[in-house]
Amino acid sequence: MQLSSTERFDAKPTIYPILFLISLVHLFNDSMQAVIPAIFPILKNSMHLTYTQIGWIGFAINFTASLLQPVFGWYTDKRPFPYMLPIGMASTCLGMFCLAFAPSYMFVLLAVVLVGIGSAIFHPESSRVSYLAAGNRRGLAQSIFQVGGNTGQALAPLMTYLIFIPLGQRGALWFTLVAGTALVIQLFIARWYQGYLRAHPRPANQEQAAAQTSGIKKALLFAMILLIFLIFVRSWYHAGISTYYQFYLMERYHISLEHAQIYIFLFLLAGAAGTFFGGPLADRFGMKRIIYFSMLGSAPLALLLPYVNASWAYVILLMNGFIVLSSFSVTVVYAQQLFPGKIGMVSGLTVGFAFGMGAVGSVGLGKMIDMAGLSSVMHWIGFLPLLGVLTYFLPDDQKVKEWNQREKQTA
């Protein structure tokens, strides 16, 4: 079978060293961001916080880290700035230092905002680096990149068990060393990124090409809005389990904080595995089918979880962690296929803005728990994955590829 002229032109090697390095930094970045929910039980006891106040801390980190992502992505789509990557990591490092010594609730909020800004800078630019280094294996490349972040998030319960329970709030100081290591790696990646931009200058007619494809603009916008909503629902459910389910375990089963962290760790670790395998599965079965599977496949288990005993909770959390996040990298690639000329902005929207909306849900859940009780809310969030039925209205993979090719040919 012969390749078309467009496919021959697009054939590029996959730069695995850059992909593995950016995935490693993603692990570092998200493990530091995961310090915030990991330290919730410590802060709740030491500062006598309510669930609503805990929700506001979660809101501050997720809202800042998420809603600023498309802003930074939009800016760097127009004016790429490779050395923004180490600048963002410097902000995270400062935030971790402030968190370790925060004397009050308001100072904690300031510290997590600094961490959030660093994360907001990191994600859209790193998604772009992953896209540039992917060659023709974008699904696999996005899975390699995203699995680093989800693995970092999965470390949060272990960090609580190994660091924050014995060391308390000051344990966050150790993560300034992690941030320093990540900053050095980011300098190397930024140098490669800058070299890539010099070797592959941006086409002068890219803006004109986007205008010429305005005939499908409404369909593209509808698909993006629906995709963001589905990611928001997935994020809201994920936040409910990763943030509040540990308290539900301690309340219902009377287990220790240390024991509760094992459940959350298994859920997040299975999510990291789902993130990695989701990309290759989408390459084989299609992106839309994996998004369907991620949402509706998790619904029966989500509804069952509040009713099972402590032993079965292990099994369900493992299975649901894998299923829920199997679409994590897939939704990013789907969005990049919709808007191939706006990688930074759509990466910020799918990884950032939608998670920021999930942060709003996190605050709402905290308020609902204070008002209606922890058990009621844990039962209610099990219905969220049922909204995945709306995936039916997403354009199928073939249609997305046709739109993608049309934009390339116009460019």
Side-chain angles (χ1 to χ4, degrees):
M1 176 180 176
Q2 289 211 337
L3 296 175
S4 69
S5 59
T6 302
E7 288 170 323
R8 286 197 300 270
F9 178 78
D10 287 343
K12 296 175 183 176
T14 302
I15 315 298
Y16 287 103
I18 294 298
L19 289 175
F20 289 131
L21 284 175
I22 202 68
S23 180
L24 178 62
V25 177
H26 200 182
L27 187 152
F28 289 157
N29 180 86
D30 283 25
S31 67
M32 288 181 286
Q33 190 173 333
V35 163
I36 311 306
I39 208 172
F40 280 170
I42 307 299
L43 294 175
K44 186 177 187 298
N45 291 331
S46 64
M47 296 186 178
H48 308 290
L49 304 180
T50 65
Y51 285 112
T52 301
Q53 288 176 309
I54 289 174
W56 276 112
I57 296 174
F59 174 83
I61 179 64
N62 289 315
F63 192 85
T64 308
S66 302
L67 290 208
L68 288 180
Q69 282 190 42
V71 176
F72 285 118
W74 170 82
Y75 178 82
T76 54
D77 278 336
K78 295 180 177 295
R79 300 176 181 84
F81 181 31
Y83 285 92
M84 189 175 284
L85 287 169
I87 291 173
M89 193 55 64
S91 176
T92 299
C93 185
L94 178 60
M96 296 310 301
F97 181 84
C98 291
L99 180 62
F101 295 99
S104 66
Y105 175 66
M106 294 305 296
F107 208 87
V108 169
L109 291 177
L110 173 63
V112 301
V113 165
L114 287 171
V115 175
I117 290 173
S119 186
I121 293 172
F122 169 80
H123 281 97
E125 279 300 271
S126 295
S127 290
R128 192 196 314 277
V129 169
S130 174
Y131 183 88
L132 297 177
N136 290 333
R137 308 194 69 180
R138 288 175 183 164
L140 175 63
Q142 194 62 224
S143 287
I144 291 172
F145 169 62
Q146 295 293 354
V147 76
N150 288 101
T151 302
Q153 293 172 12
L155 294 175
L158 286 185
M159 289 187 287
T160 300
Y161 183 80
L162 298 175
I163 297 175
F164 294 117
I165 289 176
L167 299 179
Q169 187 177 333
R170 294 291 172 86
L173 190 62
W174 285 98
F175 292 90
T176 59
L177 300 177
V178 176
T181 303
L183 195 153
V184 171
I185 298 174
Q186 290 284 54
L187 287 170
F188 174 81
I189 294 171
R191 194 156 50 241
W192 175 87
Y193 182 9
Q194 188 173 59
Y196 184 97
L197 293 177
R198 288 172 179 167
H200 303 82
R202 183 181 180 185
N205 65 338
Q206 191 174 40
E207 294 294 335
Q208 181 182 357
Q212 290 172 337
T213 59
S214 59
I216 58 172
K217 187 175 181 180
K218 289 184 179 179
L220 288 170
L221 287 176
F222 171 79
M224 179 60 76
I225 291 170
L226 179 55
L227 184 68
I228 289 173
F229 176 76
L230 291 170
I231 297 171
F232 160 58
V233 172
R234 184 186 67 195
S235 302
W236 199 353
Y237 177 75
H238 190 267
I241 298 299
S242 59
T243 302
Y244 298 111
Y245 190 67
Q246 58 185 321
F247 298 107
Y248 178 77
L249 286 166
M250 290 186 286
E251 180 181 288
R252 179 175 179 183
Y253 302 116
H254 307 290
I255 64 177
S256 66
L257 172 60
E258 295 89 337
H259 191 183
Q261 299 309 304
I262 298 174
Y263 287 85
I264 307 303
F265 171 70
L266 291 175
F267 175 74
L268 297 176
L269 186 65
T275 296
F276 180 76
F277 287 104
L281 287 171
D283 288 338
R284 179 167 183 177
F285 299 106
M287 294 182 290
K288 184 174 177 178
R289 288 179 179 176
I290 295 302
I291 297 171
Y292 247 136
F293 170 70
S294 172
M295 300 295 291
L296 292 182
S298 65
L301 295 171
L303 290 168
L304 186 61
L305 180 61
Y307 298 97
V308 300
N309 60 34
S311 297
W312 275 105
Y314 282 119
V315 178
I316 291 179
L317 287 171
L318 273 171
M319 294 174 63
N320 234 16
F322 184 94
I323 296 171
V324 166
L325 288 192
S326 62
S327 65
F328 192 98
S329 60
V330 179
T331 49
V332 178
V333 175
Y334 188 96
Q336 290 174 346
Q337 294 276 55
L338 289 173
F339 294 94
K342 299 179 180 179
I343 299 302
M345 187 179 73
V346 299
S347 298
L349 283 170
T350 52
V351 180
F353 180 77
F355 272 75
M357 293 298 95
V360 175
S362 180
V363 175
L365 288 175
K367 186 65 175 178
M368 289 170 63
I369 290 172
D370 285 333
M371 294 176 60
L374 186 59
S375 180
S376 297
V377 174
M378 286 295 103
H379 284 75
W380 178 80
I381 64 172
F383 290 89
L384 284 172
L386 291 174
L387 292 172
V389 70
L390 296 175
T391 305
Y392 173 81
F393 297 101
L394 285 176
D396 60 32
D397 291 51
Q398 186 58 41
K399 179 63 69 176
V400 173
K401 287 178 182 178
E402 289 175 7
W403 291 341
N404 187 277
Q405 284 299 319
R406 190 181 305 177
E407 181 159 338
K408 285 182 180 180
Q409 291 166 3
T410 306

